[in-house]
Structure formats: C-alpha cells, structure tokens
Amino acid sequence: MRTGSGQADDLPAAGQQAEPAISSPFATTRLVAWHGDLAAWLDRLGWLRTLSDWLTAVLGPVRERHQDNLALELLHGGRWVGHPLHPALSDLPIGLWAGVMVLDATDRDPAPRRGIDAAGMLSAAGILAAGATALTGLSDWTVSNDQDRRVGLFHGLLNTVALGLQGASLGTRMAGHRGTARALGAASLTVTAAAGYLGGHLVFTKGVMVSRVAWAIGPRRWTRALPEADLPDDSPAAVEAESRQIMLYRHRGRLYAIDNICSHAGGLLSRGPVADLTVTCPLHGSRFALADGCVRRGPASQPQPVLPTRIRNGWIEVRGSQPAPRRPASGRTQP
Ligand code: FES
C-alpha cells in the first residue's frame, strides 16, 4: 500500500517500449509499424496543432457553459445509451454510401437522367447521417486529450472533405452527370475509409471513449489502504492498494471507496470537488455518486466501480471484486 500521487499520468506507461531499430526501409518492422508512424507524423503537423488549439480555445468554454445540457450529454451517448454514440452512428454514412457504389456498379442504364434515383436517395440519406455523426464526433472531440485531439481533428477534417465530395456527387447526379457523380462518390467513400481508419486508431490504439475501469478488479483480499486517523471527514484521499488507485471519502463517519481513475478518460477523481456525496471529475466534469458509482452527468457512460471498506486495527481496508463462486457439477453453489 502507498498513498497515491493523485496524478494519472504518474502511472508507468505499461506497454510502451523503445522504438525498435530499423535496418532497412523495407524491413518487416517498417511495414507493420506504419500506422504508429502516421499518428506521430500527424501529431507533428504545425498547422494541425494550431487549429486544434484554436478550436479548443473556442469550443472548450462553450462546452463548459452547457455541461448540464441534456442534449449535449446525449451527443456523447453517456449514461442514457451506456456507451458512446459516435461509433455506432458512423456506420450509417459508410453503409449508405457503400450502397450508392453498389447501385452504381450494377446500374445497366447509362443514359443521363436528371432528378434523384435510388442511389441518389442513399447518398442524401448518408449526408444527413454524416451530419448527425459529425455532431456526436465534435462533442466527443471536445472531451479528448492532447495527441488524441489532434488525430481526432484530422479524422474530422477528412470526414468533412468526404461529406463535401458526397454533396458534390449528389448535386451532379441530380443534374444528370452520372459519370462525374460516380467518380465523386467513389472519392468520397475512399476518404471516408481513411477517416474511419483514424477513428479506429483512436478507439482501439488510444482507447478514446473506452472505459478506463473495465479491468479494475483487485485487491482480491482485504487490504490496508490508509490509517483511519489520516482520513478527515469530507476530504477525498487518493490511495493505492495492490496497484489499484482508489479514492477514499468519509462523510459523517461513513466511508466510501471508489475507483480513482475516471471511467471516461482517466482523470483523477480525488482531485475533483465533492458535493452531496457526488464527485466531479476535474478533467471533463463527469459526475459519479460515491455510494454506488452511478453516472450523474456525462461524458462518462460507465459507472465508477465502488469498493467495500472496513476498519481493522486502526486501518481502513478495502477489497475489490471477488472470484465468482465455484459451481459443483450438481449445480449448487459451494459455501
Ligand atoms: S476523464 Fe473525462 S470526465 Fe473524467
């Protein structure tokens, strides 16, 4: 046990390793590491940094002003949906615009036609869906961090280009220039795929909007966390028990223990204010009830795990998840 530093960034960067030496540009290492190089290259683009900082300065205060707005929380998905909305919505324009390509490829009537055909309907529906997807993406972008924010901005810019190309495709299609419309539609889908790849990088490589407490289970046994005398009433304390960061809080003699790493993006809850037994994350303002960890305000969509506590020999002890009880072949749970 040791008292935590209260800084999520202090965690050892598990999985981070020194860059491997590359002997040849055609070495296998180079061929399979291009995605990491791409993200690093994007992060070095000066104009992207400038644009990201400028947008952050403009949108950040707006978001903070409207943090309690239900519509804003719904754009994240949040507690109402249980996971982020943006990845689910993003399937719509991709699927609809892929449908446009299939219809175009199987269309055996090359004669120019004005107006909107079935492919045009799909294209228009995809444009509407892309608008809604962009809103949710922008909302998530405002609560992302550092490099993720810059890669996310590039992802959004690519999607904006794709949307413009698809709009031009729809316009030329309705004007009867179907060959041009098909070429623009194909270009739009290609750019969308590139943007989608970066979106996948953000989620699967960087863990953006992925629950940071999904694997929080320990300690398996009652473990000393803090001398009881060191926890005054109504003052959060950051502690660590078997590598798990925990926030302790006592109010009118009752103890609360909650995972200290915010499920949204890893902010340290012990650094946030507590009011009405609800802690507010200092990073993006998610709120969690101390009693049961439930989300009282997004952008977090996952509740914060709570831990049982007890006092033994002057120490506050905590315990994490217990192994599931073994079931014998008879189906009855063993005591
Ligand atoms: S880290 Fe984003 S709300 Fe806590």
Side-chain angles (χ1 to χ4, degrees), residues 143 145 262-269 281-286 288 298-300:
V143 292
N145 299 319
C262 176
S263 64
H264 170 242
L268 285 181
L269 298 183
C281 177
L283 276 192
H284 311 115
S286 287
F288 303 95

Side-chain angles (χ1 to χ4, degrees), residues 85-86 88-97 121-137 163 166:
L85 206 50
H86 180 68
L89 275 185
S90 67
D91 287 349
L92 282 174
I94 295 172
L96 289 164
W97 293 342
M121 297 279 258
L122 289 187
S123 173
I127 288 171
L128 284 178
T133 308
L135 273 180
T136 57
L163 184 58
Q166 194 64 223

Side-chain angles (χ1 to χ4, degrees), residues 104-118:
D104 280 343
T106 54
D107 184 5
R108 304 198 181 284
D109 178 11
R113 277 195 309 262
R114 283 179 175 272
I116 192 159
D117 55 4

Side-chain angles (χ1 to χ4, degrees), residues 67-326:
Q67 252 183 139
D68 287 318
N69 189 312
L70 192 58
L72 187 67
E73 188 173 346
L74 274 171
L75 287 177
H76 293 298
R79 60 190 150 146
W80 309 105
V81 182
H83 60 77
L85 206 50
H86 180 68
L89 275 185
S90 67
D91 287 349
L92 282 174
I94 295 172
L96 289 164
W97 293 342
V100 173
M101 296 261 309
V102 172
L103 287 180
D104 280 343
T106 54
D107 184 5
R108 304 198 181 284
D109 178 11
R113 277 195 309 262
R114 283 179 175 272
I116 192 159
D117 55 4
M121 297 279 258
L122 289 187
S123 173
I127 288 171
L128 284 178
T133 308
L135 273 180
T136 57
L138 184 64
S139 173
D140 287 353
W141 182 83
T142 59
V143 292
S144 59
N145 299 319
D146 301 328
Q147 187 194 29
D148 302 340
R149 188 168 285 209
R150 292 184 282 277
V151 175
L153 177 58
F154 198 80
H155 160 82
L157 291 174
L158 283 181
N159 276 322
T160 305
V161 171
L163 184 58
L165 287 168
Q166 194 64 223
S169 170
L170 181 61
T172 50
R173 186 182 297 276
M174 293 178 70
H177 308 296
R178 291 165 64 191
T180 309
R182 288 174 183 180
L184 287 168
S188 168
L189 198 58
T190 304
V191 178
T192 302
Y197 184 86
L198 286 180
H201 171 81
L202 287 170
V203 175
F204 298 115
T205 307
K206 306 298 288 183
V208 173
M209 299 299 277
V210 171
S211 171
R212 300 298 171 99
V213 292
W215 293 274
I217 51 171
R220 294 275 186 189
R221 299 172 189 280
W222 286 109
T223 303
R224 287 181 167 182
L226 193 70
E228 188 194 358
D230 290 356
L231 185 67
D233 260 21
D234 300 318
S235 176
V239 298
E240 196 172 309
E242 286 188 10
S243 303
R244 184 166 178 183
Q245 296 196 56
I246 298 160
M247 174 185 136
L248 292 177
Y249 192 79
R250 177 153 51 190
H251 179 70
R252 293 186 180 161
R254 184 172 169 189
L255 278 172
Y256 300 88
I258 191 168
D259 223 287
N260 200 17
I261 306 289
C262 176
S263 64
H264 170 242
L268 285 181
L269 298 183
S270 56
R271 293 191 164 188
V274 178
D276 298 330
L277 292 180
T278 299
V279 61
T280 301
C281 177
L283 276 192
H284 311 115
S286 287
R287 287 191 175 144
F288 303 95
L290 292 181
D292 58 8
C294 77
V295 182
R296 292 258 168 89
R297 183 175 75 182
S301 56
Q302 291 301 311
Q304 207 60 14
V306 294
L307 296 91
T309 59
R310 71 179 187 185
I311 294 177
R312 284 284 188 282
N313 302 320
W315 281 82
I316 298 168
E317 295 183 346
V318 294
R319 192 180 65 176
S321 309
Q322 298 302 292
R326 278 180 295 150

